[in-house]
Amino acid sequence: TLSFADEGEKGRYIWRPNPKSHLSKSVSPILPDDWRRFICVENGTLKKEDAYILKPGECHTLTRVIRLTSTYDNAKPINLQDQIETVAKAGGGRVTVPAGEWFTKAVHLRSNVELHLDDNATLVFSDDPKDYLPMVKTSWQGEEMMNYSPLVYAYGVTNVAITGKGLLKTENKPWREWFGRDRSRRRPQFIQFFGCRQVRLEDFSIEGTPFWTVHLYRTEDVTVKNLTVTAFNRDGVALMNSDGLDIECSRRVRVSGCSFTQDDDAIVLKSGRDLDGIRRGIPTEDVLVENCVVPKGHVLFAIGSEVGGGVRNVTMRNCRVHGSVGRLLFVKTNAKRGGFIENIVMEDIEADGVRDDVVALMADYWYYPKPGLKNLRRTPIRGVTARN
């Protein structure tokens, strides 16, 4: 939010530059297409009839004060992190976001802490990438690395929860610019649990996401219940790779009563990519998904393509697609992925439309292949059942 406190002037112009403006040519440190991220402000006496007439020796002072407050609409700043640290040091408990719109930077959860969103509470996350630094240990499309912090992040914690009927929200900016121009900048997940145990996610809603929406990585004993996940922001914009729920290298996960509206796959199982996934060898196993709906998405239920640690003992049942999807069950891998896929059951599914296949098994699926990486180990696929 911009605010001004000026004296000694009778006019102000506020304008956005464009590709042909002098800004792109005269300000050397900015990249050619960074003009999109500027607002130009010119203050002064802009009309001749308002001109100041000065006698010899007189002077006139124009003072311009510009304040930039990093908020969203009417959201008020809230310091959740200090509250979380205080509750954690006291042995655990609940941190509550009350009704209203609240603005926050990255939130890092701690053991024995429940983040609770009251009814009509909206937690709006900053669109400034600097608010997700310093970098943290994360996994990005199946490879472990240091990256910008997910908007909500938990690492190595136990007995942690996000509950309540409030809303977590981001506007997808500037993450949309990161995808096409510079793939070395990795967009963060909205929510990631890395190496956690006893995780509970219940009742809240999500709107918008920089990348994968909810990512469970190397995490055990998880309940995901009654979430409403929407990858699109209020302007109807969703980014590529906006999966709804990614379960990776995790076990004993139960998902029920959730809704996923995505511009990518709704529910996805993975277990690490190529050599990184094969080296770790951590499978995704013992997963139950039931009574979920998908109003919009590419695929209802996807497995892969990053399956280096294997995927087994998975059931999806009693789910419904309200609109059209490309596929209901999509098992995808290739000769560089390794791992295994076995004991997969999908049953009692209703869909209003399927554009491509009800079930697709693809063993030569290529997605951003690495040049020069030789075939490693084919992925055996066994015991895939689809009924009713």
Side-chain angles (χ1 to χ4, degrees):
T1 302
L2 281 172
S3 62
F4 304 92
D6 304 325
E7 295 180 359
E9 52 86 15
K10 294 185 179 180
R12 180 187 305 122
Y13 286 146
I14 302 176
W15 53 279
R16 298 291 300 267
N18 60 64
K20 297 181 180 180
S21 69
H22 68 277
L23 179 68
S24 301
K25 300 176 182 178
S26 61
V27 184
S28 59
I30 73 170
L31 295 173
D33 61 346
D34 265 357
W35 55 269
R36 294 183 178 90
R37 304 180 65 182
F38 281 82
I39 294 176
C40 299
V41 181
E42 296 185 70
N43 289 63
T45 301
L46 305 177
K47 298 180 180 180
K48 291 182 178 179
E49 56 268 28
D50 293 330
Y52 292 96
I53 300 175
L54 303 180
K55 298 178 180 180
E58 291 183 336
C59 66
H60 178 75
T61 300
L62 184 153
T63 302
R64 179 198 308 176
V65 178
I66 301 176
R67 293 185 177 89
L68 176 61
T69 305
S70 186
T71 61
Y72 173 81
D73 288 350
N74 297 316
K76 301 176 182 178
I78 186 172
N79 190 344
L80 286 178
Q81 199 59 50
D82 283 353
Q83 297 181 47
I84 290 171
E85 303 296 345
T86 299
V87 169
K89 288 178 181 178
R94 173 182 280 190
V95 173
T96 298
V97 180
E101 281 201 333
W102 305 97
F103 177 81
T104 186
K105 302 177 182 179
V107 173
H108 290 191
L109 301 176
R110 305 301 183 204
S111 292
N112 303 314
V113 173
E114 174 188 354
L115 178 62
H116 181 79
L117 306 168
D118 274 352
D119 292 3
N120 300 314
T122 298
L123 195 55
V124 181
F125 285 82
S126 167
D127 285 330
D128 187 346
K130 294 193 294 295
D131 289 335
Y132 303 97
L133 294 174
M135 291 189 174
V136 299
K137 187 175 182 180
T138 184
S139 173
W140 202 90
Q141 286 196 334
E143 295 179 312
E144 292 189 4
M145 63 180 63
M146 300 297 291
N147 192 31
Y148 286 81
S149 170
L151 280 57
V152 179
Y153 177 68
Y155 180 80
V157 304
T158 300
N159 187 26
V160 63
I162 306 174
T163 65
K165 295 184 178 180
L167 172 66
L168 304 178
K169 182 176 183 179
T170 181
E171 276 299 294
N172 293 345
K173 299 182 295 186
W175 317 113
R176 69 187 70 179
E177 299 175 12
W178 283 26
F179 181 82
R181 187 178 72 192
D182 186 355
R183 288 193 54 81
S184 68
R185 297 193 293 182
R186 309 294 191 182
R187 293 170 289 151
Q189 297 89 340
F190 200 128
I191 298 174
Q192 184 185 68
F193 290 85
F194 187 131
C196 301
R197 296 177 58 246
Q198 299 175 26
V199 175
R200 185 163 53 95
L201 308 176
E202 293 185 357
D203 298 329
F204 61 91
S205 299
I206 299 174
E207 181 181 300
T209 183
F211 183 55
W212 295 351
T213 312
V214 180
H215 185 199
L216 306 175
Y217 181 68
R218 296 175 64 170
T219 291
E220 302 179 355
D221 302 312
V222 183
T223 298
V224 181
K225 184 177 180 181
N226 298 335
L227 301 193
T228 301
V229 178
T230 304
F232 297 81
N233 69 3
R234 61 177 178 173
D235 297 324
V237 176
L239 307 183
M240 295 184 69
N241 312 113
S242 60
D243 294 349
L245 171 64
D246 288 83
I247 304 170
E248 183 174 13
C249 299
S250 296
R251 56 171 57 96
R252 297 186 297 277
V253 179
R254 179 168 182 173
V255 183
S256 63
C258 297
S259 173
F260 298 95
T261 302
Q262 315 300 135
D263 197 29
D264 211 314
D265 300 339
I267 303 166
V268 191
L269 305 186
K270 302 174 181 288
S271 59
R273 181 172 179 170
D274 302 339
L275 286 173
D276 207 30
I278 293 172
R279 173 183 56 80
R280 289 193 305 271
I282 303 173
T284 287
E285 57 188 350
D286 303 328
V287 177
L288 172 63
V289 180
E290 59 184 354
N291 303 318
C292 293
V293 298
V294 176
K296 182 176 181 179
H298 290 185
V299 174
L300 168 62
F301 198 35
I303 299 175
S305 65
E306 305 94 323
V307 290
V311 176
R312 63 188 169 205
N313 304 335
V314 175
T315 297
M316 169 179 272
R317 64 192 183 198
N318 299 319
C319 293
R320 176 171 176 78
V321 175
H322 284 316
S324 174
V325 296
R327 297 178 171 96
L328 296 183
L329 175 60
F330 188 13
V331 177
K332 46 187 175 178
T333 182
N334 62 54
K336 295 178 172 54
R337 296 301 196 227
F340 56 84
I341 299 170
E342 59 188 26
N343 299 335
I344 311 297
V345 176
M346 170 181 270
E347 59 186 358
D348 301 325
I349 306 297
E350 296 185 11
D352 293 339
V354 178
R355 297 188 299 274
D356 299 316
D357 313 288
V358 172
V359 177
L361 308 179
M362 190 175 295
D364 59 350
Y365 179 85
W366 297 102
Y367 183 60
Y368 301 131
K370 291 185 176 179
L373 182 62
K374 297 180 180 179
N375 289 355
L376 300 171
R377 190 171 67 212
R378 293 188 180 277
T379 308
I381 302 172
R382 309 184 186 95
V384 177
T385 301
R387 56 178 172 246
N388 300 333

